[in-house]
Amino acid sequence: MRPDELAAVREQTPLVYFPIGSLEYHGFHLPFGFDAMHAHELCLQAAQQTGGVVLPPTFWGTEGHVGWPGSLLLSNGTIAGIVADVLSQLDQQGFKLIVACTGHYPRVQGLLIQGIADAYMARHPASKIILLDPFNLHPTDPRSEHAGIIETSAMLHMRPELVDMEQLDRPDALDGISEDCVDATVEYGQTRFATVLDAMVRTVNEELEAL
Ligand SMILES: [Zn+2]
């Protein structure tokens, strides 16, 4: 976006989405950037219904499969610094509602972001930052996993060309990931994505109305 475009959207709906993921080993069948792409796609589609701006996804994340092939996971302190800087500048630019969305399990990253948001809002009571994640948003089946049926199905739905299900035939295919990935389907990905998206839009609209 250019400055005038950004200002026009912010004027209309002072809402910004901040998708956060990781670069993390997700088995041999999924790309490293899955978590960020998942959060970003949800934010993009939510914004089509709620209005607002979506930041480019942040691929830097913390904790999880540190030391696994290809993982690039930064320290808590580094991620905390990035998140705190982004949140405070978005707030100062006039966004009245900031929606941080982390696609990265384990919960350490979510708790870290929530802690930063809470501390910022304590210092700036007029500011509103909420944290959503694509797993716990599901109203009847909230749960997290790693490269299992939820994440694999989501990618089969969002970007099938980035999934290689034949890699699941490798003898080490299930090392370090949720084993139900073998049951992933496009249909489950579509259904779950739509349900989570609905919940996200509902939550954000409620927060907007409460402003
Ligand atoms: Zn993941």
Side-chain angles (χ1 to χ4, degrees):
M1 298 179 86
R2 291 179 295 275
D4 285 355
E5 296 171 318
L6 177 64
V9 174
R10 192 178 50 217
E11 182 81 10
Q12 179 89 20
T13 310
L15 159 68
V16 59
Y17 291 88
F18 176 22
I20 308 155
S22 66
L23 284 174
E24 182 186 32
Y25 172 80
H26 272 76
F28 291 95
H29 66 298
L30 288 178
F32 296 107
F34 172 82
D35 294 340
M37 299 166 86
H38 192 197
H40 188 222
E41 187 62 27
L42 275 168
C43 290
L44 287 173
Q45 295 203 25
Q48 286 180 5
Q49 298 182 53
T50 62
V53 177
V54 181
L55 287 184
T58 295
F59 283 86
W60 298 124
T62 189
E63 306 262 350
H65 282 55
V66 176
W68 285 72
S71 284
L72 283 173
L73 291 154
L74 309 187
S75 67
N76 284 356
T78 303
I79 297 304
I82 292 171
V83 170
D85 284 354
V86 172
L87 292 178
S88 64
Q89 289 187 51
L90 289 172
D91 184 57
Q92 287 157 21
Q93 288 183 16
F95 289 102
K96 302 272 187 266
L97 177 62
I98 300 171
V99 178
C101 179
T102 175
H104 176 51
Y105 181 72
R107 290 194 68 226
V108 176
Q109 179 154 302
L111 292 170
L112 187 75
I113 297 165
Q114 188 69 62
I116 294 163
D118 289 345
Y120 187 84
M121 288 188 286
R123 294 194 307 274
H124 302 85
S127 305
K128 187 70 184 176
I129 303 165
I130 63 169
L131 174 68
L132 301 178
D133 87 59
F135 304 101
N136 292 327
L137 270 171
H138 197 290
T140 56
D141 183 25
R143 59 194 165 98
S144 302
E145 59 150 57
H146 185 62
I149 187 171
I150 296 175
E151 293 195 321
T152 303
S153 298
M155 202 52 145
L156 286 171
H157 164 56
M158 295 186 303
R159 299 284 299 276
E161 75 280 11
L162 299 182
V163 186
D164 183 357
M165 293 298 275
E166 287 181 11
Q167 293 287 336
L168 293 176
D169 295 335
R170 296 169 57 119
D172 54 352
L174 301 180
D175 290 358
I177 64 173
S178 305
E179 298 190 353
D180 59 4
C181 57
V182 296
D183 299 322
T185 63
V186 180
E187 293 72 25
Y188 181 63
Q190 278 173 344
T191 305
R192 191 167 175 109
F193 190 94
T195 304
V196 167
L197 179 63
D198 277 354
M200 189 166 180
V201 168
R202 199 162 49 243
T203 303
V204 171
N205 278 334
E206 284 168 6
E207 293 290 345
L208 282 174
E209 282 165 25
L211 287 178

